[in-house]
Amino acid sequence: MDKKIKLAIIGTGSRGVLCFGKILSQREDVEIAALCDTNPVRAKHAAELLKVTDVPRFDSIDDMAKSGIELDGVIITTPDYTHCEMSKKAMLNNWNVLVDKPLATNVKDCKELIALADERKLTLMIGFNLRHHAVLMQLKEFIKNGELGRVFLAENREFYDGGRTYMSRWNRLCANTGSLWIHKGSHDFDIFNWLLDFPKIKRVSAFAAVNVLDADHLPFEKRPGVEPGPRCTVCAYKDECKDCFKISDAEKLLWQEDSIAVDGYMKDRCMYLSDKDVHDNGIAMVEYENGIKVSHLECFIGSRNDRLYTIAGDKAIAEVSLSNRTITITPRWGKGKAVTHTIPMADGGHGGADPALVTQFIKVIKGESSANSTARHGMLASAIGQAAELSRREHRMVDMSELLD
């Protein structure tokens, strides 16, 4: 296929523009054919940032469809709760879809999307960029080649300082995300499923809460008569608050006052005072039918940023740091014989995983490959996240038959 692939970006926020939009604009085989966002001012600024001011912009996916525009596919980066509706409408127009994780915020919607993609014979690919991270790809090869033997136990600990800003943005409400176990954790649950070759999920348990980012734990002393908030931009304590959310220079054009005036959406609400019903830390545990047990820790407090994996097999244990790009393998009977593999750096966001994800989607559209992160995979990751949120809210272990059968 020699012609340029025509793609539209639906959702012109930071992820849609500064990640996917930037990557697409640097490719010679792709054309950004349209931008779509319910906020026309933000879409206009997105076009300016991407230097595509001549492409059509639409206020809704319905308007884009009615225009008769010809597209090979769309990339959806709207808030999670809209993923089902956006993906459905895209496929009803026979457009291939790359939807940023999660596929949808509940299993019911995921099943509906899978059925439609099958019926229309369209690609519905999930933005599980970690699948394309060189370190995790190498880890999967070690597991596949038997370096660790029979895997029976695994864990992931994610420390993400930037995660505290979830409490400032739309992500802070479960109504928008299904929960952070789905919005954030679906990445990690998918990696477990993928590394372990998708064993059947048996049951899930989780504990989570807001223990730090609340009104009782402001990181500064309040002055008499001076209230903090409601936004970091205008807060009286912005110069002394160690968690002041400063929107980056690259993002400022998308999130300035003229955009806020359209829909009232502010990206920098005080993360301590905002209304929220998600967690700032938690632990989820998953048991598979084959007896493998995994745990996933999320911590959005602190200055550390890393995903740390431990995979235990009956021949060796692998310990992984994504930030350091290392995999250390210690043989079961090899004290002092641990070997550390350092994986070369790769260009692009998320350790080179973002551009690799886009490349895979383009290859699928061109017929050169098949989707490696399928809608069914997306459903399994969302299902674990949905079960984890049920568990933490209802204080019980959740059998996956409740959601998947």
Side-chain angles (χ1 to χ4, degrees):
M1 186 182 293
D2 295 326
K3 72 179 183 70
K4 284 191 175 185
I5 299 296
K6 293 184 176 181
L7 297 177
I9 297 173
I10 302 175
T12 58
S14 299
R15 182 72 173 158
V17 176
L18 301 179
C19 173
F20 290 108
K22 182 180 178 181
I23 292 169
L24 294 179
S25 66
Q26 293 172 344
R27 295 183 65 109
E28 295 184 354
D29 58 346
V30 174
E31 174 187 341
I32 299 176
L35 298 175
C36 180
D37 198 298
T38 55
N39 188 320
V41 175
R42 188 169 298 122
K44 176 178 178 291
H45 291 323
E48 293 166 359
L49 282 171
L50 295 173
K51 296 180 172 57
V52 291
T53 53
D54 57 332
V55 308
R57 300 190 297 270
F58 302 95
D59 296 348
S60 73
I61 190 171
D62 294 325
D63 289 344
M64 189 162 70
K66 289 175 184 176
S67 74
I69 189 171
E70 293 185 4
L71 297 171
D72 295 298
V74 299
I75 296 179
I76 297 172
T77 60
T78 53
D80 300 352
Y81 74 96
T82 68
H83 285 188
C84 181
E85 178 188 5
M86 295 297 106
S87 298
K88 188 188 304 181
K89 288 183 175 181
M91 289 190 290
L92 288 173
N93 283 284
N94 292 315
W95 296 329
N96 294 298
V97 175
L98 170 60
V99 56
D100 204 17
K101 55 79 192 165
L103 172 59
T105 59
N106 59 75
V107 171
K108 178 179 175 293
D109 286 349
C110 289
K111 288 181 176 179
E112 185 176 343
L113 292 175
I114 290 170
L116 182 58
D118 288 346
E119 175 192 326
R120 293 274 171 152
K121 295 181 172 54
L122 291 166
T123 293
L124 176 55
M125 188 170 158
I126 317 303
F128 285 143
N129 53 3
L130 287 180
R131 297 266 201 103
H132 303 270
H133 196 293
V135 175
L136 292 175
M137 291 172 70
Q138 182 61 67
L139 176 62
K140 184 170 174 64
E141 282 300 307
F142 284 143
I143 295 172
K144 181 180 177 181
N145 294 338
E147 297 278 342
L148 308 184
R150 178 177 55 84
V151 173
F152 59 89
L153 186 68
E155 70 162 356
N156 168 45
R157 292 172 292 135
E158 183 184 8
F159 299 93
Y160 180 34
D161 183 29
R164 72 192 192 284
T165 66
Y166 289 139
M167 310 302 148
S168 301
R169 300 182 272 142
W170 60 265
N171 318 70
R172 71 190 188 279
L173 300 174
C174 280
N176 294 336
T177 63
S179 77
L180 287 183
W181 290 126
I182 294 178
H183 174 79
K184 192 74 178 70
S186 61
H187 264 316
D188 303 278
F189 299 137
D190 175 69
I191 288 298
F192 283 134
N193 291 338
W194 175 67
L195 288 175
L196 301 173
D197 202 23
F198 299 95
K200 187 175 181 181
I201 309 157
K202 185 177 182 180
R203 51 189 175 179
V204 174
S205 183
F207 305 89
V210 173
N211 293 118
V212 178
L213 299 174
D214 59 28
D216 294 330
H217 297 95
L218 292 169
F220 51 81
E221 291 294 326
K222 290 173 60 176
R223 298 187 288 274
V226 181
E227 291 300 316
R231 296 170 54 201
C232 293
T233 303
V234 299
C235 182
Y237 299 91
K238 64 181 179 181
D239 293 330
E240 57 202 275
C241 178
K242 294 177 181 178
D243 281 323
C244 179
F245 179 13
K246 296 178 181 178
I247 298 172
S248 69
D249 290 339
E251 295 179 283
K252 280 182 179 177
L253 188 59
L254 297 174
W255 306 108
Q256 57 189 15
E257 296 301 320
D258 59 350
S259 294
I260 294 172
V262 175
D263 54 19
Y265 177 64
M266 297 173 287
K267 195 176 182 180
D268 64 339
R269 292 177 184 271
C270 174
M271 63 187 71
Y272 288 88
L273 303 179
S274 66
D275 55 327
K276 62 180 81 70
D277 58 358
V278 295
H279 57 267
D280 63 19
N281 75 99
I283 299 174
M285 293 161 284
V286 183
E287 183 181 20
Y288 294 94
E289 292 281 0
N290 62 6
I292 297 176
K293 300 166 290 297
V294 305
S295 68
H296 167 59
L297 175 150
E298 293 180 349
C299 181
F300 305 140
I301 311 301
S303 60
R304 188 176 189 180
N305 288 295
D306 203 354
R307 274 183 167 95
L308 302 164
Y309 294 85
T310 303
I311 313 293
D314 60 7
K315 289 185 180 179
I317 293 174
E319 296 170 281
V320 179
S321 166
L322 289 199
S323 290
N324 295 331
R325 302 185 72 87
T326 57
I327 302 174
T328 299
I329 297 181
T330 305
R332 180 178 175 185
W333 295 286
K335 188 175 181 180
K337 296 182 180 180
V339 177
T340 297
H341 305 265
T342 301
I343 313 304
M345 289 290 292
D347 293 331
H350 290 95
D354 288 333
L357 168 67
V358 171
T359 294
Q360 182 67 22
F361 184 52
I362 300 302
K363 285 182 176 180
V364 173
I365 291 177
K366 289 181 177 181
E368 298 173 359
S369 183
S370 57
N372 61 344
S373 50
T374 68
R376 286 175 175 79
H377 296 162
M379 179 182 70
L380 293 176
S382 288
I384 296 175
Q386 186 177 352
E389 185 64 15
L390 279 172
S391 175
R392 80 107 163 176
R393 285 178 180 268
E394 299 180 3
H395 307 288
R396 66 182 179 92
M397 190 175 293
V398 178
D399 192 291
M400 290 305 292
S401 62
E402 296 180 38
L403 300 176
L404 291 175
D405 290 353

